[in-house]
C-alpha cells in the first residue's frame, strides 16, 4: 500500500488531497490489523505499508521479520528497515581512525533524517571525516514528491550550486535511469559533475555500500 504521489501538474484533473499524519496513522492501523489476521492464518503478513506511511505518521518502521523477506522493496516497502539493519551490522564492527575526508550526500526528504543520523554516527568514530547531508526539494515534480528516485539533475544543480560538497558527492543509484548515467530530466551525471565542479559517485542501496562510499574503503 503506497500513497499516491501528487505532482504539481494537476490542472484539469480530479482534485485530490495529500495524506496527513492522522490519515497515515489510520492506514497503518488498518494494515497492521490485517497483517495480524493474515499471519495467524497463513503465516504470511501479505499486506504491507510502504515506508512513506510510517514517516508521515512519525512511527518507527516495522522490524525486519514483518516484511516477509522484503518482497516489495521495489515499491519502497522495507527499504529503510533494510538499510538501517545493514548499516548497524557494518557499523558495530567499525573501529574508527584518523583518516581525513569530506563528502556530501544528496537525498530526498523521505530518507533524509535516516541518512543524517547515519552520517552523524560515522562522524562520531571518525572525527576527521566530515559528511554534509543535503535534502533536495523536488521543484521539478512538486514539493510533495519526496522520494530520491524522482529527483532530477536540474534540481540537484540548482540547490547544491553554492553548498559545501567536499571531495565527492554521493548519489543513490535510484536517482538515475536503470543502467544509465542519466537523470529523469535527461541531464547526465557528467553534466552534474561539471556544473557543481565536484566528483560524483553513485552508491548502491545498501548499508555496506553507504559506509564504504563515505569512508572511501
Amino acid at each position: 500500500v503506497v500513497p499516491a504521489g501528487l505532482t504539481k501538474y494537476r490542472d484539469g484533473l480530479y482534485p485530490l488531497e495529500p495524506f496527513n499524519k492522522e490519515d497515515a496513522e489510520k492506514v497503518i492501523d488498518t494494515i497492521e490489523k490485517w497483517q495480524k489476521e493474515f499471519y495467524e492464518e497463513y503465516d504470511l503478513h501479505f499486506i504491507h505499508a510502504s515506508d512513506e506511511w510510517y514517516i508521515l505518521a512519525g512511527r518507527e518502521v516495522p522490524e525486519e521479520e514483518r516484511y516477509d523477506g522484503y518482497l516489495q522493496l521495489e515499491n519502497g516497502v522495507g527499504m529503510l528497515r533494510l538499510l538501517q539493519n545493514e548499516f548497524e551490522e557494518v557499523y558495530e564492527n567499525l573501529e574508527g581512525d584518523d583518516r581525513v575526508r569530506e563528502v556530501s550526500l544528496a537525498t530526498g526528504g523521505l530518507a533524509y533524517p535516516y541518512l543524517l543520523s547515519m552520517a552523524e554516527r560515522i562522524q562520531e568514530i571518525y572525527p576527521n571525516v566530515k559528511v554534509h547531508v543535503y535534502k533536495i526539494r523536488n521543484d521539478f515534480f512538486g514539493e510533495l514528491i519526496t522520494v530520491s528516485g524522482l529527483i532530477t539533475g536540474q534540481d540537484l544543480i540548482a540547490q547544491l550550486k553554492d553548498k559545501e560538497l567536499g571531495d565527492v558527492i554521493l548519489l543513490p543509484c535510484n536517482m538515475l535511469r536503470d543502467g544509465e548515467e542519466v537523470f529523469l530530466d535527461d541531464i547526465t551525471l557528467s553534466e552534474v559533475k561539471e556544473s557543481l565542479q565536484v566528483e560524483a559517485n553513485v552508491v548502491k542501496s545498501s548499508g555496506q555500500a553507504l559506509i564504504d562510499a563515505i569512508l572511501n574503503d
Side-chain angles (χ1 to χ4, degrees):
V1 179
V2 182
L6 302 181
T7 73
K8 64 183 181 182
Y9 303 104
R10 295 197 51 79
D11 291 345
L13 297 180
Y14 187 86
L16 296 175
E17 294 294 327
F19 291 97
N20 58 31
K21 184 177 187 294
E22 184 180 353
D23 297 328
E25 290 176 338
K26 290 178 180 178
V27 168
I28 292 172
D29 290 342
T30 301
I31 289 173
E32 292 186 344
K33 169 183 170 291
W34 281 105
Q35 281 184 329
K36 187 173 183 296
E37 293 188 23
F38 280 124
Y39 194 77
E40 288 174 355
E41 186 166 354
Y42 301 108
D43 200 31
L44 186 76
H45 295 93
F46 184 72
I47 182 171
H48 299 273
S50 69
D51 297 347
E52 294 158 272
W53 293 114
Y54 288 94
I55 292 173
L56 186 55
R59 295 187 185 181
E60 183 69 25
V61 293
E63 66 281 4
E64 185 173 45
E65 292 73 24
R66 194 117 58 86
Y67 285 105
D68 296 329
Y70 298 111
L71 301 174
Q72 291 287 324
L73 275 178
E74 69 275 14
N75 289 321
V77 178
M79 290 182 71
L80 291 176
R81 168 53 63 202
L82 181 59
L83 179 64
Q84 279 186 302
N85 285 4
E86 290 174 340
F87 178 88
E88 293 296 339
E89 289 175 9
V90 178
Y91 184 82
E92 66 182 16
N93 293 314
L94 295 177
E95 298 179 355
D97 55 41
D98 58 357
R99 74 185 68 191
V100 178
R101 184 161 165 79
E102 184 178 2
V103 304
S104 52
L105 303 176
T107 187
L110 193 67
Y112 173 77
Y114 292 85
L115 291 176
L116 180 62
S117 174
M118 293 174 190
E120 289 173 345
R121 292 180 64 192
I122 289 174
Q123 291 172 108
E124 287 175 3
I125 58 175
Y126 292 90
N128 297 320
V129 171
K130 189 171 185 179
V131 186
H132 307 281
V133 184
Y134 294 112
K135 177 170 60 176
I136 304 301
R137 183 184 62 253
N138 201 320
D139 291 333
F140 187 91
F141 290 110
E143 293 186 31
L144 293 178
I145 305 299
T146 58
V147 295
S148 59
L150 292 178
I151 290 174
T152 58
Q154 59 192 267
D155 281 345
L156 273 177
I157 293 170
Q159 295 174 44
L160 296 179
K161 196 77 172 180
D162 301 314
K163 302 291 187 183
E164 293 183 71
L165 300 177
D167 307 311
V168 60
I169 182 170
L170 307 177
L171 304 173
C173 60
N174 63 358
M175 276 191 192
L176 300 169
R177 292 176 181 167
D178 190 27
E180 301 180 59
E181 291 191 344
V182 182
F183 294 87
L184 290 179
D185 56 354
D186 293 327
I187 288 179
T188 66
L189 185 61
S190 295
E191 288 173 321
V192 169
K193 294 179 185 179
E194 185 176 347
S195 295
L196 297 177
Q197 289 297 291
V198 69
E199 186 57 43
N201 289 344
V202 178
V203 182
K204 292 181 179 179
S205 300
S206 79
Q208 179 75 65
L210 176 63
I211 290 176
D212 287 349
I214 291 175
L215 298 178
N216 198 28
D217 281 345

